[in-house]
Amino acid sequence: MIRVCALSELDDRKPLAVDADGNPVVVVRDGERVHALQDVCSHAAVSLSEGEVTKQGIECWLHGSRFDLVTGEPSSPPASEPVDVYSVEVRDGDVYVAVPQT
């Protein structure tokens, strides 16, 4: 697990771009839950952290594809492939993310 930010840095439903050991990750606080996804849209390879979080998930700013915060599955076109989702742990006020070792 890699520390990516303090929990206090996360505003509810506002995406935050972080670097997790060289991996681009978007972290989103949704109430009491914290989610981490690959910060690259599977359709156009742009940063998801520049988009908005809606009730349907995180929306890509370029073409409007939405990705579920829990599964990474797209819920609207043009994206048809999911983005990676990473395990998150909150410890002592800090957010940790498990990313694959490269």
Side-chain angles (χ1 to χ4, degrees):
M1 299 289 271
I2 298 163
R3 183 196 179 280
V4 293
C5 66
L7 185 60
S8 62
E9 293 178 63
L10 297 175
D11 292 328
D12 198 45
R13 303 178 71 76
K14 184 175 179 193
L16 176 68
V18 297
D19 180 283
D21 201 24
N23 296 291
V25 174
V26 57
V27 181
V28 177
R29 183 177 188 164
D30 187 18
E32 296 300 313
R33 297 194 64 190
V34 178
H35 306 276
L37 298 90
Q38 180 182 17
D39 191 16
V40 180
C41 177
S42 63
H43 169 256
V46 298
S47 179
L48 290 175
S49 60
E50 295 179 30
E52 293 183 26
V53 176
T54 69
K55 290 182 181 184
Q56 292 80 29
I58 190 164
E59 184 175 306
C60 178
W61 63 271
L62 187 58
H63 295 117
S65 292
R66 282 185 218 95
F67 297 89
D68 186 276
L69 294 174
V70 176
T71 66
E73 291 289 329
S75 62
S76 62
S80 59
E81 295 295 319
V83 295
D84 291 338
V85 174
Y86 307 116
S87 296
V88 175
E89 191 175 306
V90 178
R91 283 186 261 146
D92 300 322
D94 290 321
V95 178
Y96 294 82
V97 174
V99 293
Q101 297 297 316
T102 54

